[in-house]
Amino acid sequence: MELSPTAKVVCALIGFGKRTGYEMKQFVDKTTRYFWAASYGQIYPELRRLEEQGLVVSREDPTGGRRRTSYALTDAGREALTAWLARGDGLMFEQRCESMLKLFFSDAAPELRVDQLRSFARALEGNLAALRELQPLAPEMPEGPRLTLEFGIAQMQFMVDWCRRMESRLAADAGRPAAREEATRV
Amino acid sequence: MELSPTAKVVCALIGFGKRTGYEMKQFVDKTTRYFWAASYGQIYPELRRLEEQGLVVSREDPTGGRRRTSYALTDAGREALTAWLARGDGLMFEQRCESMLKLFFSDAAPELRVDQLRSFARALEGNLAALRELQPLAPEMPEGPRLTLEFGIAQMQFMVDWCRRMESRLAADAGRPAAREEATRV
DNA sequence: ATCCTCATGTAACCCGTTACATGATTAA
DNA sequence: TTAATCATGTAACGGGTTACATGAGGAT
């Protein structure tokens, strides 16, 4: 039983104890979004599909007069989930980073390079700050989430540091080659 | 003039000296793919669209009897390109990493954690090796590509190291329970 | 009253990948 | 002559985001 990308997260989220579509989305936005995002437009239809396939069961679970639908894994669902975790595939690591793209092509406008790096670093620092806010909760977390949080922080820190290093390297280089250019050209 | 994501790369590639759709694709696969991929299905239609919009011009440029279409930026195209590079937006950094997702949810099957980490590290080492093969060309590269290559290598190295560190940390944690298991089992 | 949060959903779109078709040239 | 490479293209599909609609309950 091959799960679609979204089906994987959804099953995993149910297995993790997130029972409503709404709750799943909130949780994803707070935790996994840095390496795996999900929108309502994926979650709700996927829950339906998974129920049709018999991997989850729904149950009406209103809070007062407010309707709510809770989901739970069936045996087949639990099986599919552990099978997914056990499979050695899905090692993919994809990035889409417009800042790096701009940096790559920055020779078309070299004077903007340092600024690009600087604003990229600032943006990353925003992410870093958001992750750091979760850190106090780390001792209470299961090992999986704790490890990925730690990774996220380390990774953001690495990228910020790299940008800062490049910034100052470029700033330093800017003096000398300018001097050389001057010497040869003038 | 707001460029679509693909339009940005395509214009930048032409500005960089890549003139045919085929050449662009080869180049992207060798260089930017780690932070920005592109397929024929995007490139060729985009070139058409850009020509309609007057940002590029095409020219029939056959090699022998083999037809070929070369593209060049118009003034409007060059302007759009530098405008894009100058804009402070597009700081987005997106990742999609199934390994991290599995790690996050690994408490559903903790015994698989070390293996997951190990195979993730191996996959990353593949990327790292591919990037290292480009390194000898670095001195000949323009600064932009050289910087992003350096970033790619450092980033992959960082991730591999992180995985290895976690592997041994987890192994050490498991060491005690494992020893206990052995003691009881043998 | 008003606004925020809880909660569910969907339609329109954007975007991108895959897989295939086509055909010429060059290297083995 | 056969395979690989150069070269262009597209149709079908899958997947995801955005924006919106709806409505109840709780807080100010």
Side-chain angles (χ1 to χ4, degrees), chain B residues 82-95:
Chain B
T82 53
W84 167 60
L85 285 172
R87 269 205 313 276
D89 67 347
L91 272 39
M92 59 103 140
F93 170 73
E94 281 164 24
Q95 290 181 84

Side-chain angles (χ1 to χ4, degrees), chain B residues 7-21:
Chain B
K8 293 168 186 176
V9 221
V10 169
C11 286
L13 284 163
I14 300 177
F16 194 80
K18 303 296 153 191
R19 290 195 257 77
T20 73

Side-chain angles (χ1 to χ4, degrees), chain B residues 5-6 39 42 65-66:
Chain B
T6 303
S39 68
Q42 300 170 255
R66 191 191 272 159

Side-chain angles (χ1 to χ4, degrees), chain A residues 4-6 37-39 41-42 64-66:
Chain A
S4 78
T6 303
S39 68
Q42 299 171 257
R66 192 190 271 158

